[in-house]
Amino acid sequence: MLLIHCPYCEEERPELEFRNAGEAHIARPANIVAESDEDFEKFFFIRANTKGLVYERWRHVHGCARFFNAVRDSVSDKFIMTYKAGEPKPKKLPGAGK
Amino acid sequence: MKKYSVFAIAREAMRAHKGWEEQWSSPEPKKEYDVIIIGAGGHGLGTAYYLAKEHGITNVAVLEKGWLGGGNTGRNTTIIRSNYLYDESAGIYDHALKLWDGLSQDLNYNVMYSARGVMMLAHNIHDIQVFKRHIHANRLNGIDNEWLTPEQAKEFCPPLNISKDARYPVLGAALQRRGGTARHDAVAWGYARGASARGVDIIQNCEVTGIKRGPNGEVAGVETARGFIGAKKVGVVAAGHTSVLMNMAGVRMPLESYPLQALVSEPVKPIVPCVVMSNTVHAYISQSDKGELVIGAGTDQYTSYSQTGGLHILEHTLDAICEMFPMFTRMKMLRSWGGIVDVTPDRSPILAKTPVKGLYVNCGWGTGGFKATPGSANVFAHTIARDEPHPINAPFTLERFRTGRLIDEAAAAAVAH
Amino acid sequence: MSASFRISGKGRLTQARTARFTFDDKAYSGLAGDTLASALLANGVHLVGRSFKYHRPRGILSAGAEEPNALVGIHRDAARKTPNVRATVQELYDGLTAVSQNRWPSLSFDVGAVNDVASPLFSAGFYYKTFMWPKAAWKSLYEPKIRAAAGLGVSPDLPDPDHYAARFAHCEVLVLGGGAAGIAAALAAAETGLRVILCDEQAELGGALRFESGSTIDGRNGWDWAQAAIARLVAMDNVRVLPRTTAFGYYAQNFVGLVERVSDHLQSPDPDLPRERLWQVRAKRVVIATGAIERHMVFADNDRPGVMLASAARAYLNHYGVAVGRNVGVYTANDSAYAAAIDLKKAGVNVAAIVDLRDNPAGSVIDEARALGIEIHGGRAVVRVGGKLRVNSMTVQPKNGGGERTIPVDAVLMSAGWTPSVHLFSQSRGKVAFNDEVKRFLPGTYAQDCISAGACNGTDGLSACLDEAYAAGAKAAKEAGGKAAKPAKPKVEASESWSRGMLGAAPGAGSGTTVKAFVDFQNDVTAKDIRQAVHEGMRSIEHVKRFTTNGMATDQGKTSNMHGLAIAADELGKQIPEVGLTTFRAPYTPVTFGAIVGHARGKLFDPTRRTTTHGWAERNGAVFEDVGQWKRAWYFPKEGEDIHASVNRECVTVRKAAGLFDASTLGKIEVVGPDAAKFMELLYTNPWEKLEVGRCRYGVMLREDGFIYDDGVVGRLAADRFHVTTTTGGAARVMNHMEDYLQTEFPDLNVWLTSISEQWAVIAVQGPNSRKIIEPLVEGIDMSDAAMPHMSVREGKICGVPTRLFRMSFSGERGFEVNVPADYGEAVWEALWAEGQKHGACTYGTETMHVLRAEKGYIIVGQDTDGTVTPNDAGLDWVVGKKKTDFVGIRGLRRPDLLARGRKQLVGLKTKDPNTVLEEGAQIVADPKQPIPMKMIGHVTSSYWSENCGRSIALALVAGGRGRMGETLYVPMPDRTIEVEITGMVFFDEKGEHLNG
């Protein structure tokens, strides 16, 4: 069971309180009607599924109920960091590029 | 290839089993092949076997980053059934089931396909509606699947708890008698032996690090831990790692890879005579020929390549098992493990050509790929050999996610109202 | 013959405290503190089990959790039968009943042993090569035989009366293993005042000090020091010591699963005590001090009862006071077995000889053994042993060949060296590294916040182990935020040390067709099997393991893995690390399902949700159905009524008079804020901006892919407040779906979402008399048609409590849904029922609700739709706001396949014979005469007998259905084909007059 730091509650809580919500930073197109079939496919179905650092969404569903983002290593399952929804993809990760 | 038989065993018994030949050879890779299959699991080895056997294409290499059969083939709970709802799914899974019956003889390798019956339990009215829909559709597709009352279900599987006082009482079951199990390692080994004997090179410990494309975008070969290997055609059959490999060719996939855990109990004398599955209480169980209860359930919720998962997932699984079989609380978990399953948005596989010429992909089997192994391998070999899909796998395209023509087995079991 | 092998003055048990027990119905006596194994040995019993494949007689190999052979069934009573219990771990209690396993008719005469004679045929993987001809015989003959041979013990067959407990715990330092190293680490960490948990699988902590006789710490004998240290730890508030507790699994982020055996050792456990308890511990730092496990020697017939690990014999002597024989031989490749010989000799047991594979063994223990007059045969091997049910001799030969000598013995103690227990380290995803000098895998690269210390870290010698472990405990505590404490490091004054040894097959492993030198005892894997696997092309150790089943038995290869690996490497001509190591998988030792399940059994398997009128419904004879976690009243039969009679009556009554239905399980969400309407526009296909306050609208929600996700009636309570209802099953996921969009896609909208499903009880009152029933109880709401038309909502009071009163209908009759705060649900229901009875009303359940809505062609999402249905498919095109430029699903709906012709569309079906009720899920074809596989063009989604229509009715999804009105189609059933006609979806009151009737 993972231990997840909720950036809103500012504490680590067990995975049971959270629900994973899939890949992060896939914004719904502002003018979605104008999207081509290919673009819609990319938006709705295609996923990075990275082996390594993944940017993903979690919801602290049995806590503050907020959605937030996390960077996790999908090989070790270790969290690198979590950050609030709407914040940009972090350019520099803790522990990287010292 | 020397034939296996009881006589061969008797002969070898006299000489301390020193006369057996290698089941498959372990050659150095050649410079170039007609076809390279990436991934030496059951689906990949089977593809190579059928390429050689049915299409006469023997200049084939199967590349494996670890040891053959070490991925999901060797990690799954070996359930075989074909009672899927949609015609497309029923088509491919029943093609597989027909090949399972006779695979031992075809391979001259006992894969121990055991048609002991797969029983799926219904616990509410919605389950009944869904199962009946399957049963009727299966019947008209020529696939056996029958409805059992709770009493009939218990007769078929005596330790099953059908008490009306259960939290979710059993209201009936769908039984596919031709469903059952097979010995997973033997499937990989049998295909490996058969392919190797027909000239296929199985190259283990040879991780693919890149897929090279030629001047016109077509596949040219693969970069590996053991150097570049040229190929006219490349088939990716890498289950959980498909996204990673396809990315090397610039193709992004509608896949996510999740940890799926399973466990076995200590071996006991026969008690569970069939496969029992329940989607509502959420677990499945069978008993291996060694006597271990083989148990599985759902995936963890997050994507991962770690081949491990959380203890709470096993907890839920065992909760469900002990709900169906209350006497098993005194049984002991002997071993648990995880695999990486690649899941598509509609929970149906992709067996298809790709936008890259000469590149083919067989993936997205989610939690249920083992049962399809011979069928999947058979039609995938056809797809590669002819550069066009077999009618059976023609619906399982990549394009369906663009057009919306999904084969949504998961949706068909829609959540209750 | 009772206790004849108990040596007075030896061991730590109290002679006066006896415990009687039976083994295979024979009565014996042991002592309190015995394990079943030590008690059997005290009675001279070595033969305790049979092996899996060959049914070879087997004895007791070890004195601990690594035991592969001595597995028994423990039968407390008919419902408390536990198979495959290691006799070396099971503590004795008065009245214990044990039975041997995998033998018939008896342990000493087992028919299955014929397999042993025929064993040359049953080589590794033989079953892959045969049983294929004739094909039909596999299912009829071979497979049943193979399956019948499965298993060791017998599964329990009655529900388990015991219960199991679970706890979560947090600590700064978790110490796994309570041997000398673990105790030292715990002492160091505990002194900082941090929370420390120390667990150990044994009843008494102390680890190897249990059998070592030569250690002195802080002036005391090692065992006594350990007990005193434990007493000190137990007395500290910040320390929890858990004996009989095995750390079985090391999961992500220092999450460790422990299982505590609470009552299996008690004679008559308090029924309030759980049998076992699962601890799930999250620790800041973990100290792994799991020790090492002795390996056996691999030589011919090394499985005979009486052949055992040297350290085990020593434990039986020094702790339990039991001699494992009267005339023992020793076969070793390292020093540690000498200590066993010396202890036994000193206790008066004859040591016939020590056979040492090393050429010129030298050192203090060798000198001591020699001084005691024990014969030492260096450079020699035991090439086989005599005896069948018990060893009676060992045959010794120079290791490079030469003359044999047979020495009579009644036990053989062996040691090939010690394997560090890196299981938990490896489970933590740490990488082990092979140390070529000492020929063992040791912790290499760490993946989590843990430290290995002591023998599991490859550290030899008590003194070095204690130093390392104490430092590890202090370091772990410091890293976990502890303050440095004054060091109180234990001082080792005398210690034993054992290192080195050998891996793989000894010279006596032989190569003949019938020689069996066991590597894995329980699974009957011999050295020859492993060589054969390699010979057949199995070059990965994982293949060797799977082909031979080496290391896959209940002991998980604790004694066999390293030998198997070495033999495979030898056969391949490779170094051990090149061949690799098999993965260590949880659990470390087998874990009872019940411990993992805990309280989640029976009623507590899953929460049960009940509505506020559940008790009333129960008292009034309702039959319930499970809908998700809810129990919903299904129908309310009167005396003598079956479901059909009851539903027919309820259906007619509602349309003739009225009916009360508890609709509380519907999901309810309040959408509030200045942008509430804007948000609704985005989440639902319908337009909302122009919906007047006080009016309701049926809303449909799609997923982004365009398929129907949920539906429900939405009332606008104020310009900025919507009361949204969802399906029962959809409540939680719709809330999540809405929150997802609000928080992440449309965060600029000023909207708040609140789940109010549990806050409001909902009583549907439907039927022509519904208004008459409600009106007398309501204050402040004008319920006239003019003031409150169909699809409107009003706030006011009912029975003096607040209500949100909806005028809406899922039956097609004039109808209302009375929402009241859940606390008043039952009271208001009773008041309405009292009124209802005056007007001929009935209560009805979900079945009648389904029939009534089907009569009107109202769909149920999840039954008439299945996640592949668009609004157009469902005949609901009108819910999609044509002028809207955006809503979730708008783009998905425009994908080619969703616009294609011939999609399945929801239609009505009438059977040609009005009395035939179709089966839900039945498939529809155009041509019933076609051969199988048939072309199916649709299926029945809902089907009922409609008493109101006087015929059966059904809804179906049919390809191009709306273009087939009046067409005859066919429903092929196993016994007949049913003719049906495609119709519209409304079967009753097509004009909708009843809504105001």
Side-chain angles (χ1 to χ4, degrees), chain B residues 17 22-23 68 105 110 113-115 140 165 168 185 266 269 273 329-331 333-334 336 405 411, chain C residues 84 102 120 128 132 138-139 143 147 160 162 536 539 543 546 556 586 591 593 603 606 866 897 934:
Chain B
H17 297 276
E22 283 194 337
Q23 300 200 4
L68 70 86
Q105 287 72 24
N110 195 342
Y113 161 55
S114 165
L140 299 187
D165 296 331
Y168 294 113
D185 291 331
E266 291 187 343
K269 294 293 173 195
T329 48
R330 295 184 94 83
M331 292 290 294
M333 172 168 82
L334 171 58
S336 66
R405 192 168 197 80
Chain C
N84 302 340
N102 202 35
Y128 300 128
M132 290 178 281
W138 167 249
K139 192 162 164 69
E143 195 203 347
R147 285 172 70 182
D160 185 356
D162 286 332
E536 290 199 46
R539 295 178 180 212
H543 285 151
R546 285 158 178 262
Q556 289 273 42
V591 176
F593 285 6
K603 299 294 174 213
D606 206 26
D866 64 4
D897 199 61
M934 290 193 181

Side-chain angles (χ1 to χ4, degrees), chain B residues 25-26 176 216 271 288 320:
Chain B
S25 56
S26 300
Q176 185 175 33
N216 301 316
I271 179 153
S288 76

Side-chain angles (χ1 to χ4, degrees), chain B residues 186-208:
Chain B
V187 176
W189 300 346
Y191 275 127
R193 175 165 166 266
S196 182
R198 285 170 171 79
V200 171
D201 285 355
I202 300 164
I203 300 160
Q204 302 179 72
N205 300 309
C206 183
E207 182 165 4
V208 170

Side-chain angles (χ1 to χ4, degrees), chain B residues 4-6 9-10 13-18 20-24 26 67-68 74-75 86-87 101-102 104-105 108-110 112-116 124-126 129 132-133 136-137 139-142 165-169 183-186 189 204 263 265-273 281 288-292 295 306 308-309 311 315 318-320 322-323 326-337 401-405 408 411-412 414-417, chain C residues 52 79-84 102 120-121 123 126-132 135 138-139 143 146-147 150-153 155-158 160 162 164 251 275 280 429 511 513 523 532 535-540 542-543 546-547 552-554 556 585-587 590-594 596-597 600-603 605-608 625-629 631 634 728-729 733 850 860-863 866-868 895-897 919-923 932-934 936 939 972-974:
Chain B
Y4 287 161
S5 68
V6 68
I9 291 176
M14 314 281 216
R15 48 176 174 177
H17 297 276
K18 285 177 179 155
W20 297 114
E21 56 189 18
E22 283 194 337
Q23 300 200 4
W24 53 83
S26 300
W67 38 284
L68 70 86
R75 293 166 184 270
Y86 290 114
D87 297 349
D101 188 20
S104 296
Q105 287 72 24
N108 179 233
Y109 205 103
N110 195 342
M112 298 184 207
Y113 161 55
S114 165
R116 57 184 65 186
N124 56 47
I125 291 167
H126 181 74
Q129 291 166 339
K132 292 244 170 127
R133 185 178 169 196
H136 290 301
R139 177 168 46 81
L140 299 187
N141 264 325
D165 296 331
R167 174 66 187 85
Y168 294 113
R183 173 87 192 123
H184 52 7
D185 291 331
W189 300 346
Q204 302 179 72
L263 66 103
S265 74
E266 291 187 343
V268 286
K269 294 293 173 195
I271 179 153
V272 180
V281 308
S288 76
D289 289 347
K290 270 197 74 185
E292 297 158 334
I295 292 167
S306 68
T308 61
L311 177 60
E315 261 180 80
L318 287 174
D319 292 354
C322 293
E323 180 68 1
M327 73 281 280
F328 287 165
T329 48
R330 295 184 94 83
M331 292 290 294
K332 286 178 237 139
M333 172 168 82
L334 171 58
R335 193 162 56 240
S336 66
W337 64 92
F401 300 101
R402 179 157 44 75
T403 63
R405 192 168 197 80
D408 207 334
V415 180
H417 28 279
Chain C
F52 179 70
R80 291 181 172 90
K81 293 180 178 171
T82 312
N84 302 340
N102 202 35
L121 292 172
S123 63
F126 75 98
Y127 33 83
Y128 300 128
K129 297 171 181 152
T130 183
F131 305 131
M132 290 178 281
K135 178 166 175 271
W138 167 249
K139 192 162 164 69
E143 195 203 347
I146 290 171
R147 285 172 70 182
L152 290 168
S155 163
D157 54 2
L158 293 173
D160 185 356
D162 286 332
Y164 301 83
Y251 299 89
R275 180 169 171 241
Q280 296 181 79
R429 304 174 62 80
S511 59
T513 54
N523 274 354
Q532 184 199 330
H535 190 72
E536 290 199 46
M538 308 290 173
R539 295 178 180 212
S540 155
E542 289 285 355
H543 285 151
R546 285 158 178 262
F547 190 68
M552 297 182 81
T554 63
Q556 289 273 42
R585 286 168 168 165
V591 176
T592 307
F593 285 6
I596 294 176
V597 169
R601 297 160 67 186
K603 299 294 174 213
F605 167 68
D606 206 26
T608 301
E625 67 159 327
D626 287 304
V627 180
Q629 291 173 328
K631 294 278 180 196
W634 189 13
T728 296
R733 62 186 152 82
H850 283 174
I860 289 185
V861 169
Q863 178 172 341
D866 64 4
T868 65
R895 290 180 296 157
D897 199 61
E919 195 162 281
E920 286 168 352
Q923 299 289 320
I932 279 173
M934 290 193 181
M936 289 170 261
H939 77 282
M973 299 299 286

Side-chain angles (χ1 to χ4, degrees), chain C residues 32 69 148 183 283 423 482 628 780 856 979:
Chain C
N69 284 335
I183 293 170
H423 307 70
K856 292 296 299 175
E979 272 184 75

